[in-house]
Amino acid sequence: GRSEVFLEGRPLNVTDLSVGPDGWMYFCTGGRETEGGIYRVVWEGEAPPHSQPDGIAQAILEPQLYSAVGRNNIAKVKQALGEDWTEKLGEVADNTANPVHTRLRAMDIMQLVGPPPATRFLVKLSRDESPQIRAKATYLMGIHFDEQTHPRLIELLDDPDSTVRRKACESIVRSGQDAPVGKLLDLLADPYPFVRWSASRALQAVPRDRWQARVLAHENQRVFLEGSTALLILGPDRAVVDSILDRTSRTLKGDISDENFIDLLRVVQLAMLRGEVTGDDIPEFRKQLADEYPAFENRMNRELVRLLVYMQDTSFLSRAIDELSGDSPIEERLHLAAHLRYLKEGWTTEQQLALLQFFEKARQIEGGHSYGRYLDNLTRDFFATLPPDLHGEILALGETLPSAAIMVL
């Protein structure tokens, strides 16, 4: 399809929009100290001819299911059909000859207007050939559950469709039911990140003494990373944090993929925060991480910089200053400079002036409305850490360091 502009304004800051029962579009504007208003868009042409559906089709084809007027229209159909409503709605959802979107709409109406689908019916639909139907049934089994749905949800953890696997994890958590730890651990290595996240949340609902040791000793790096994150979310003691940090250190000494390397650094960040670990507590690991900088990939460098500055590592500072004058994208160098201002020790005068010079050069780059103000803040923060005896030298360099020189005055 193609888009077409039929209405515009300066500004046209729409805050809400809906189509009314008359078929006209209504929207309101406002916010950020602009004048608010309510507007109506009316179609002035001739409406194309169309047949008016009746019976259950009228409910299925209701264009605005989630609006108040839409639900009211469906309620009228339900009342008109009487006792036939439930049977006819179920037939639409169950009939594989119907388009998938039609069957999904019938399942939505069951949930929103009622009566809700029976659990045995949901179990049946969860075996449908369509992954979309299976996913919807799996979702609904998290709301309507009993002894029939629990074993089926566990089976669906192995479904070939990633959305079904994710929703199976979510429905197990929502229904307050248990799940086999082994299956959840396997899903922590799923190729789809949303499945991994949902499996992690399901694992957190299981008493940790049933899976903590298995996560920390697991041979699969991805299982360890996702499982460690789950442990850290739950608020582990210092012994668990130390075990995670020790395992990450050993992992870095072996083969590791780029994605796992990046996520491993994030696990280290979370472990240090949750365990209140400082760089001085783990000097050998700090040196090991510093030796990784700079990496060949920008995302790796971002995580390394965050960690090394948090650890107050000074050994990487000279390499970091060299990176500021390198050929990395300006966004990466700005990220580096923004973090370096928090490094408290290890600076030489030349390095301090080099960072101030970078901030000045960065001002020459065109940016957004607040870009210059952000640079002001970065310069001001770093200037506050400089020794007073450097102020005279900054004043002498006022032509090249005007922003810092003004701060001296």
Side-chain angles (χ1 to χ4, degrees):
R2 61 184 181 86
S3 63
E4 179 182 347
V5 177
F6 69 92
L7 184 66
E8 58 185 346
R10 295 184 179 179
L12 188 63
N13 43 342
V14 177
T15 56
D16 200 3
L17 182 149
S18 183
V19 176
D22 49 16
W24 297 341
M25 184 176 74
Y26 296 81
F27 67 90
C28 55
T29 63
R32 297 198 174 186
E33 301 181 358
T34 60
E35 183 178 354
I38 300 176
Y39 300 87
R40 179 178 67 184
V41 180
V42 179
W43 170 256
E44 294 183 343
E46 290 187 13
H50 65 282
S51 58
Q52 182 66 31
D54 58 7
I56 195 65
Q58 187 176 353
I60 297 295
L61 297 176
E62 168 59 41
Q64 298 187 79
L65 173 62
Y66 297 101
S67 68
V69 65
R71 295 191 190 189
N72 185 56
N73 290 339
I74 293 175
K76 293 177 181 178
V77 177
K78 178 181 179 182
Q79 184 177 17
L81 289 176
E83 296 180 356
D84 293 336
W85 164 263
T86 302
E87 180 181 354
K88 290 184 178 298
L89 196 58
E91 289 175 353
V92 174
D94 193 32
N95 189 348
T96 57
N98 288 329
V100 170
H101 67 84
T102 298
R103 300 174 65 196
L104 291 172
R105 172 56 65 92
M107 296 171 72
D108 283 333
I109 293 175
M110 288 180 181
Q111 176 60 26
L112 294 172
V113 182
T119 54
R120 64 179 181 278
F121 184 58
L122 294 176
V123 170
K124 177 184 178 182
L125 291 180
S126 73
R127 295 188 169 90
D128 197 87
E129 290 187 3
S130 167
Q132 295 161 284
I133 298 296
R134 296 200 306 275
K136 177 67 73 174
T138 303
Y139 167 79
L140 291 172
M141 281 192 285
I143 301 173
H144 311 288
F145 51 88
D146 57 17
E147 67 282 353
Q148 296 182 68
T149 60
H150 185 206
R152 181 56 187 153
L153 285 174
I154 293 175
E155 293 174 354
L156 289 166
L157 294 173
D158 296 319
D159 194 272
D161 183 76
S162 61
T163 301
V164 175
R165 296 196 298 274
R166 172 173 65 85
K167 290 186 179 294
C169 292
E170 295 169 351
S171 289
I172 287 172
V173 174
R174 186 179 294 112
S175 63
Q177 298 172 320
D178 207 354
V181 169
K183 283 184 176 289
L184 294 179
L185 290 179
D186 290 342
L187 288 177
L188 294 183
D190 196 276
Y192 295 93
F194 293 118
V195 176
R196 297 198 299 266
W197 171 249
S198 297
S200 173
R201 298 300 290 175
L203 195 62
Q204 293 167 45
V206 179
R208 78 174 81 179
D209 58 2
R210 291 170 50 186
W211 54 273
Q212 175 176 292
R214 295 176 66 176
V215 163
L216 294 176
H218 209 286
E219 294 182 356
N220 187 294
Q221 292 178 2
R222 178 49 59 178
V223 172
F224 164 73
L225 294 173
E226 300 287 347
S228 294
T229 302
L231 283 172
L232 293 167
I233 289 173
L234 293 174
D237 56 34
R238 181 58 184 266
V240 173
V241 170
D242 290 341
S243 296
I244 292 173
L245 292 174
D246 179 69
R247 170 68 186 274
T248 56
S249 176
R250 288 186 281 113
T251 301
L252 280 175
K253 296 175 182 177
D255 294 332
I256 184 170
S257 68
D258 292 353
E259 291 299 324
N260 283 355
F261 181 85
I262 293 169
D263 286 346
L264 181 142
L265 296 177
R266 292 168 177 162
V267 168
V268 173
Q269 295 167 11
L270 184 58
M272 294 189 69
L273 288 172
R274 299 291 276 178
E276 298 181 351
V277 181
T278 68
D280 291 338
D281 293 334
I282 46 176
E284 294 183 2
F285 189 31
R286 177 169 61 184
K287 181 181 183 304
Q288 183 183 6
L289 290 171
D291 290 342
E292 297 285 347
Y293 183 85
F296 61 87
E297 213 267 4
N298 289 330
R299 291 180 301 160
M300 296 179 184
N301 284 331
R302 286 193 171 209
E303 305 303 334
L304 282 168
V305 167
R306 290 189 180 103
L307 262 176
L308 294 173
V309 172
Y310 180 81
M311 290 177 160
Q312 289 298 297
D313 177 79
T314 59
S315 66
F316 90 111
L317 182 53
S318 60
R319 284 168 278 155
I321 295 297
D322 290 340
E323 284 292 307
L324 290 179
S325 58
D327 56 1
S328 298
I330 186 59
E331 294 85 359
E332 304 305 324
R333 287 180 281 154
L334 282 169
H335 177 271
L336 172 59
H339 282 76
L340 286 178
R341 64 185 161 138
Y342 294 119
L343 196 58
K344 299 176 182 178
E345 298 178 354
W347 291 88
T348 65
T349 299
E350 290 75 15
Q351 290 170 339
Q352 290 168 327
L353 293 175
L355 183 55
L356 290 174
Q357 289 168 353
F358 174 79
F359 288 142
E360 293 294 346
K361 291 179 180 178
R363 294 176 183 277
Q364 302 172 13
I365 300 171
E366 184 178 354
H369 177 71
S370 300
Y371 176 66
R373 297 174 187 174
Y374 282 121
L375 286 173
D376 287 340
N377 292 336
L378 296 178
T379 305
R380 186 180 301 110
D381 289 347
F382 185 60
F383 179 83
T385 69
L386 301 179
D389 56 7
L390 188 58
H391 291 180
E393 189 167 350
I394 293 175
L395 276 176
L397 296 171
E399 291 188 6
T400 57
L401 298 175
S403 299
I406 290 174
M407 294 176 187
V408 173
L409 301 174

